[in-house]
Amino acid sequence: MSEVIHADHHDDHAHGPAKGMLRWLYTTNHKDIGTLYLWFSFAMFLIGGVMALVIRTELFQPGLQFIEPEFFNQMTTNHGLIMVFGAIMPAFVGLANWLIPMQVGAPDMALPRMNNLSFWILPFAFSMMISTLFMEGGGPNFGWTFYAPLSTTYAPDSVTYFIFAVHLMGASSIMGSINIIATILNMRAPGMTLMKMPMFVWTWLITAYLLIAVMPVLAGAVTMMLFDIHFNTSFFNAAGGGDPVMFQHIFWFFGHPEVYIMILPAFGIVSHIIPTFARKQLFGYTSMVYAVASIAFLSFIVWAHHMFTVGMPLAGQLFFMYSTMLIAVPTGVKVFNWIATMWRGSMTFETPMLFAIAFVVLFTIGGLSGIMLAITPADYQYHDTYFVVAHFHYVLVPGALFSIIAAVYFWIPKWTGKMYDESLGKLHFWLSFIGVNVTFFPQHFSGLAGMPRRIPDYALQFADFNMISSIGAFIFGFSQVFFLYVLIKTIRSGAPAKGRSWEGAKGLEWTLPSPAPYHSFTYPPEVKSEEAYG
Amino acid sequence: MTVESKQQNDIRRTVKKLALIVVGMCFFVAALVPLYDLFCEVTGLNGKTGGPYVFDEAKTSPDTTRLVKVNFLTNTNQGMSWDFWPEKGAVRVHPGSANTVSFYVKNTTGRPMIAQAIPSLVPSSAAEFFHKTECFCFEQQLLQPGEELEMPMRFIVDRELPRNVQSINLSYALFDVTERIGLPENMQVLDNQVSPVTGG
């Protein structure tokens, strides 16, 4: 506690948050901004979730019951965009803001003002995008992948709002990433070498590099769309000498690293939770770091596996098939390391651990269906069916999302100083676990049987699977409202939490009191070997 | 230099490097467009055929030992109601010989329109061996209501065409480019060729 007492003598430091609501607008404190990011992403998660439930309601039975196909298309598109750019990514950035300075022993992020800006851009970007739903002609209806010419020649008039919203999100992500890298590379406490960094910090360092590399590519793609729509260019217009297939190449050159942007920080989170509740050190720390780095590298050379059916020469198909399958190797290293960490550990099953174990199991299922999709000849059958929908929801919902929920349960004692109600947490876990599997597992079957994705109606043979899916979706949806209740209850009336909130928790953040003081590590802490992950 | 100001300098240096990466990636994505075209031109991957080809008949002799079947497919892009058809569905040609086929196009609408034909060739491995000395796809066509036009296309299949390729499919998609190009102000113009473009 000596540094806290020491800080009291300096009156030029603000000791606590400013008063009033404007505090949140002006704040440059990494904990405040982390909180803003997390609540924003939760709000977006609920909005995107409502859209998913609109989709599942329409698909409850065959035929068109509730909404027009045009509106259905807007729902699938906005559900995807909001969940990817509004829920998952800002949630990880929020966790990075809260945790990285505490985990590396820094007083704050390297660029606090830019941090404020990169958050406050987001509400404007998403207001702009969601507002298009209420415009004449409707909002984006071309799928979250916005393939040209659907998103150019045939796009609704509101597409320009969508383009600028994507530009803003990209700017926010790039600034956030620069901030994270600058913090990690320059502000680690003395003694914390790169290979002693916590796994969450490592995964975010690599993720931030991915973001910096691919967000300009996304910005380029939407800028070309903008020019095609308004300035009569022909980047993606065959009549003018352009090529719509080029859009898919550019999009997926961004899109595949983007997929790993949404999962690498999840790997980091799980690598903290499993050792804590297995009360063992993470198995194979070094191999974990190299596995994440290899996955990041491979993500740049596999993009065309999303577009096997565009007509590629055999050599291209083989290259993208084998390079994609190669990703299973480092991913397998990680999964086996997590299992080896649990092996003969003194395991207990608190809520974060339950979510983390479900992550390992269900993410692996999603990974294995990914291997099936990587097989080029088989992909011709699976392409654009519900099998793909099942695959990417298995890696994104019980993958990325479960890791975020696990992280919230794991670190909320540190953030609020309050412990959540364990039995409510476990109830939330089981509802989510059952809901997610009931929703997405049947979609493997309807997909293999040939049900196409992004269609509001379907053949009678798919009726049972869709009904099960819709029931699961409502269970899952309402269990996340229950999550909100658990969180509010924790913040208002949770039992006080200890500084080291979990028996087996290691890392600098657990050396701080709970809740973590508004300013922590004003003077760099000493990194003891038992707190380092080396 | 104090520890803090050294740290600030280090941060500034990191940020500059990262900003350079961002700028570099912006240039990279801009460069992707010409690179993609170049890549497709070299490999023939997306079935694009080359621009006007200079053919010296005196210097090459046809390879009479084999015949290659060339199939012609025509279609109009969505929303364009012109009639567009080839004189023959297919021809058999000797590699190295010059051949001429005709395509017909008719403006069935009640207004003048400009069309642009875009070729695509399958298999893509044959794209670089298919040469055109004259093609309507090198130009755009302005047709008055009800006007019909015969459009010749003169091509040579290269003698170097791989032996395993025995048939080539050449498809033309006709696009309505009236709005993009804009009709000339004097609508009485009956000259069918508006402005030649290169490539195609």
Side-chain angles (χ1 to χ4, degrees):
Chain A
M1 296 305 284
S2 66
E3 65 266 28
V4 177
I5 295 160
H6 196 122
D8 281 344
H9 298 298
H10 294 271
D11 286 320
D12 52 334
H13 283 279
H15 295 301
K19 299 272 180 291
M21 285 308 284
L22 279 177
R23 158 202 173 184
W24 296 103
L25 192 59
Y26 298 138
T27 185
T28 54
N29 180 289
H30 74 99
K31 299 182 178 87
D32 280 353
I33 293 173
T35 306
L36 285 171
Y37 264 111
L38 287 170
W39 278 117
F40 174 78
S41 64
F42 199 81
M44 285 297 130
F45 173 59
L46 293 183
I47 293 175
V50 168
M51 291 173 176
L53 291 185
V54 171
I55 296 167
R56 282 315 326 167
T57 308
E58 178 56 53
L59 293 176
F60 186 69
Q61 284 187 325
L64 295 175
Q65 280 91 22
F66 299 100
I67 53 173
E68 297 295 314
E70 176 64 13
F71 188 67
F72 184 90
N73 291 344
Q74 294 176 36
M75 285 293 104
T76 51
T77 305
N78 283 279
H79 164 70
L81 290 167
I82 287 175
M83 287 305 196
V84 169
F85 295 104
I88 302 289
M89 287 171 66
F92 280 133
V93 181
L95 291 171
N97 261 293
W98 252 107
L99 297 172
I100 287 176
M102 293 199 298
Q103 289 187 328
V104 301
D108 203 310
M109 298 293 279
L111 308 151
R113 293 202 184 115
M114 195 165 87
N115 205 8
N116 175 295
L117 179 62
S118 63
F119 171 75
W120 278 109
I121 284 178
L122 285 181
F124 293 96
F126 282 92
S127 315
M128 206 150 95
M129 202 176 79
I130 295 171
S131 70
T132 58
L133 289 175
F134 305 99
M135 290 178 187
E136 205 177 329
N141 57 3
F142 26 68
W144 88 275
T145 52
F146 50 98
Y147 280 6
L150 271 182
S151 60
T152 53
T153 315
Y154 305 107
D157 293 339
S158 64
V159 66
T160 312
Y161 287 88
F162 158 80
I163 289 172
F164 284 116
V166 172
H167 270 139
L168 289 180
M169 294 167 205
S172 162
S173 290
I174 289 172
M175 286 193 284
S177 304
I178 289 179
N179 208 345
I180 287 168
I181 297 175
T183 308
I184 298 174
L185 291 187
N186 299 305
M187 297 176 71
R188 296 193 309 280
M192 180 173 282
T193 59
L194 281 177
M195 288 313 277
K196 279 185 184 170
M197 285 200 309
M199 274 313 294
F200 182 70
V201 179
W202 250 118
T203 52
W204 242 115
L205 179 65
I206 291 168
T207 304
Y209 273 109
L210 287 183
L211 274 166
I212 284 180
V214 299
M215 276 298 159
V217 177
L218 175 69
V222 291
T223 307
M224 288 179 214
M225 275 169 57
L226 186 76
F227 276 67
D228 271 11
I229 294 166
H230 293 291
F231 304 111
N232 222 8
T233 55
S234 297
F235 289 107
F236 309 127
N237 183 353
D243 191 342
V245 175
M246 186 177 73
F247 178 88
Q248 298 185 26
H249 281 290
I250 294 177
F251 179 83
W252 285 115
F253 189 81
F254 147 79
H256 202 79
E258 168 69 21
V259 172
Y260 293 140
I261 286 163
M262 292 189 284
I263 203 65
L264 295 185
F267 291 167
I269 291 165
V270 170
S271 303
H272 284 262
I273 293 174
I274 290 181
T276 299
F277 295 100
R279 291 166 184 79
K280 274 176 66 191
Q281 209 175 25
L282 180 68
F283 185 89
Y285 171 90
T286 313
S287 67
M288 288 299 226
V289 172
Y290 283 109
V292 172
S294 342
I295 293 171
F297 168 74
L298 288 172
S299 74
F300 284 102
I301 58 163
V302 297
W303 75 90
H305 67 212
H306 295 273
M307 35 192 289
F308 278 140
T309 56
V310 295
M312 232 186 283
L314 186 64
Q317 293 182 336
L318 287 175
F319 172 77
F320 287 111
M321 175 165 90
Y322 290 133
S323 57
T324 303
M325 290 180 166
L326 206 55
I327 297 175
V329 177
T331 314
V333 167
K334 297 195 75 74
V335 170
F336 285 119
N337 279 349
W338 289 321
I339 294 171
T341 307
M342 288 189 271
W343 178 251
R344 293 194 169 171
S346 313
M347 295 221 286
T348 50
F349 300 94
E350 285 88 344
T351 311
M353 183 61 160
L354 290 175
F355 274 105
I357 293 173
F359 169 94
V360 175
V361 175
L362 300 181
F363 176 79
T364 304
I365 293 178
L368 291 175
S369 59
I371 301 281
M372 291 173 69
L373 286 162
I375 304 167
T376 312
D379 182 72
Y380 275 70
Q381 166 77 10
Y382 307 150
H383 187 86
D384 261 344
T385 68
Y386 261 81
F387 190 77
V388 178
V389 177
H391 157 70
F392 70 72
H393 279 96
Y394 257 87
V395 287
L396 281 175
V397 184
L401 181 65
F402 269 25
S403 83
I404 293 166
I405 297 175
V408 170
Y409 279 116
F410 187 60
W411 277 293
I412 204 169
K414 182 53 60 193
W415 300 337
T416 63
K418 309 269 179 62
M419 193 51 115
Y420 64 88
D421 186 322
E422 191 61 61
S423 47
L424 291 185
K426 279 184 177 154
L427 179 62
H428 172 223
F429 167 75
W430 285 109
L431 285 173
S432 300
F433 182 81
I434 293 167
V436 87
N437 284 299
V438 172
T439 310
F440 297 115
F441 211 81
Q443 295 182 359
H444 288 112
F445 304 127
S446 44
L448 287 178
M451 177 170 165
R453 62 190 281 214
R454 292 170 167 161
I455 309 279
D457 191 5
Y458 50 83
L460 286 177
Q461 68 201 25
F462 306 122
D464 291 346
F465 284 138
N466 274 284
M467 192 175 280
I468 296 169
S469 233
S470 291
I471 292 168
F474 276 90
I475 297 174
F476 187 78
F478 283 106
S479 60
Q480 303 323 309
V481 179
F482 179 63
F483 180 39
L484 180 63
Y485 166 75
V486 177
L487 291 179
I488 292 172
K489 187 168 182 289
T490 307
I491 293 166
R492 289 187 144 189
S493 61
K498 283 185 283 193
R500 192 175 298 272
S501 314
W502 308 103
E503 188 191 18
K506 299 249 166 58
L508 288 176
E509 76 268 33
W510 302 111
T511 63
L512 293 167
S514 293
Y518 196 60
H519 294 285
S520 45
F521 297 131
T522 315
Y523 295 90
E526 192 191 336
V527 183
K528 297 201 189 87
S529 60
E530 65 264 26
E531 300 294 355
Y533 287 22
Chain B
M1 200 192 283
T2 65
V3 176
E4 270 175 29
S5 69
K6 183 186 176 302
Q7 193 180 61
Q8 284 305 314
N9 276 339
D10 288 348
I11 290 172
R12 219 164 286 146
R13 199 169 308 129
T14 310
V15 171
K16 274 183 198 154
K17 278 184 204 157
L18 296 174
L20 267 183
I21 299 181
V22 173
V23 174
M25 286 310 290
C26 290
F27 280 108
F28 171 74
V29 66
L32 275 181
V33 179
L35 281 176
Y36 179 86
D37 283 343
L38 186 71
F39 185 76
C40 291
E41 200 181 303
V42 172
T43 58
L45 271 191
N46 62 354
K48 281 188 183 174
T49 51
Y53 179 76
V54 184
F55 180 64
D56 191 349
E57 212 154 344
K59 278 189 185 164
T60 48
S61 57
D63 177 359
T64 50
T65 60
R66 60 173 170 157
L67 278 170
V68 176
K69 189 179 178 194
V70 182
N71 300 300
F72 300 108
L73 303 157
T74 56
N75 59 79
T76 54
N77 196 41
Q78 192 185 355
M80 190 173 189
S81 60
W82 286 23
D83 288 339
F84 178 36
W85 68 100
E87 175 194 17
K88 295 173 192 153
V91 291
R92 284 175 185 281
V93 301
H94 291 296
S97 67
N99 315 275
T100 308
V101 288
S102 279
F103 287 74
Y104 295 90
V105 72
K106 184 180 181 183
N107 182 355
T108 56
T109 66
R111 60 196 170 88
M113 281 168 75
I114 307 174
Q116 165 80 58
I118 301 291
S120 175
L121 190 139
V122 180
S124 57
S125 58
E128 60 177 307
F129 302 103
F130 193 89
H131 311 300
K132 289 181 274 193
T133 56
E134 190 186 341
C135 179
F136 51 93
C137 61
F138 298 149
E139 301 157 331
Q140 286 136 6
Q141 289 76 38
L142 167 61
L143 261 64
Q144 301 296 336
E147 188 182 351
E148 192 177 321
L149 181 67
E150 177 185 349
M151 307 182 295
M153 196 268 283
R154 195 169 161 80
F155 69 93
I156 301 101
V157 176
D158 203 297
R159 282 184 61 106
E160 304 299 316
L161 179 78
R163 289 228 155 233
N164 63 342
V165 180
Q166 281 152 14
S167 96
I168 294 171
N169 302 299
L170 178 60
S171 140
Y172 282 102
L174 202 64
F175 287 79
D176 177 6
V177 292
T178 315
E179 269 180 46
R180 292 177 60 81
I181 305 296
L183 289 167
E185 288 191 17
N186 176 8
M187 277 317 309
Q188 300 308 310
V189 185
L190 282 174
D191 178 9
N192 296 312
Q193 316 299 342
V194 179
S195 60
V197 291
T198 52

